[in-house]
Amino acid sequence: MHTLQTISVYCSSSNQVRPSFFAAARRLGELFAENGIRLVYGDGGIGLMGAIAEGALSKGGEVTGVIPQFMVDEGWNNPRSTSTHVVQTMHERKAYIESISDAMVALPGGIGTLEELAECLTWKQLGLHTKPVVILNTDGYYDTLLRYLDEMVEEKMMRAIHREQMFQVVATPEEVLPALLNAPQWSSAIRRDAAI
């Protein structure tokens, strides 16, 4: 079973997404705080980023934002985060978030969220990290992506073990922590199987 003290979350900064996405994000933040888990995220104050942070803060949780300086200059940071780590580039942001996290969770999001999730899974496939990853598939948002990953396996672009064990998929916030805690153990030796 994995130890979870700090979990990073990738998610949308859009304020125009469906209410169920906001509700799920806020609830996940509450669950983190209720279980003594620190939230690490991109330090946005709006959209699902703002919702998960507010959920955690509403229950007295710790929230660490990681944000590039240019976003701070635009005023995109969340002043309510309990701590903020400012970096220079998007690459540094992702690397730092991964380095301080025990696990990663993807909520619904746009191209930025997709890119973060894809890089996180690429690193895991190569054995650069062995941490559990969960996709919170609220309202089936990620169904199309999951079908695409199945097609990758069918077309021999990805090994079945990577599709089946690199990440777990859940439908509700309440399932996230159990899925992370019980995720299959991953070894850096897996990189020997990275090539098809």
Side-chain angles (χ1 to χ4, degrees):
M1 185 173 283
H2 300 276
T3 300
L4 302 177
Q5 295 181 319
T6 299
I7 299 176
S8 61
V9 172
Y10 312 128
C11 61
S12 175
S13 61
S14 172
N15 263 337
Q16 300 183 45
V17 300
R18 66 182 77 172
S20 59
F21 293 169
F22 280 102
R26 182 176 179 86
R27 180 61 184 139
L28 186 59
E30 292 172 352
L31 288 166
F32 282 6
E34 290 167 1
N35 287 276
I37 294 169
R38 174 174 63 149
L39 166 67
V40 176
Y41 78 125
D43 204 40
I46 61 173
L48 303 189
M49 296 176 90
I52 194 168
E54 285 304 311
L57 292 167
S58 74
K59 299 289 185 176
E62 184 179 354
V63 175
T64 297
V66 182
I67 188 167
Q69 182 64 55
F70 79 88
M71 289 185 175
V72 176
D73 295 342
E74 294 290 339
W76 295 350
N77 57 301
N78 187 352
R80 287 182 42 74
S81 294
T82 49
S83 63
T84 301
H85 183 81
V86 179
V87 296
Q88 292 306 306
T89 69
M90 296 290 281
H91 298 293
E92 288 179 66
R93 180 199 220 180
K94 288 180 293 182
Y96 183 75
I97 286 174
E98 186 278 324
S99 74
I100 64 171
S101 300
D102 299 313
M104 286 72 86
V105 179
L107 277 61
I111 195 70
T113 301
L114 179 62
E115 187 264 345
E116 289 168 327
L117 174 60
E119 185 158 52
C120 169
L121 292 177
T122 299
W123 292 348
K124 187 167 183 177
Q125 178 175 297
L126 296 172
L128 299 177
H129 78 79
T130 60
K131 302 169 185 180
V133 179
V134 162
I135 295 174
L136 177 52
N137 192 24
T138 306
D139 291 349
Y141 179 79
Y142 280 108
D143 286 354
T144 302
L145 175 63
L146 297 172
R147 287 195 297 271
Y148 180 45
L149 294 174
D150 289 338
E151 186 174 338
M152 287 184 184
V153 174
E154 291 167 11
E155 295 291 342
K156 311 300 184 202
M157 301 291 183
M158 175 192 285
R159 288 188 182 276
I161 190 174
H162 296 137
R163 170 65 179 89
E164 294 161 3
Q165 295 188 24
M166 258 194 329
F167 61 93
Q168 282 61 58
V169 181
V170 300
T172 67
E174 289 75 15
E175 296 172 277
V176 169
L177 293 180
L180 290 171
L181 287 168
N182 296 296
Q185 294 293 328
W186 200 256
S187 168
S188 60
I190 197 72
R191 72 171 51 103
R192 291 195 298 261
D193 295 324
I196 295 290

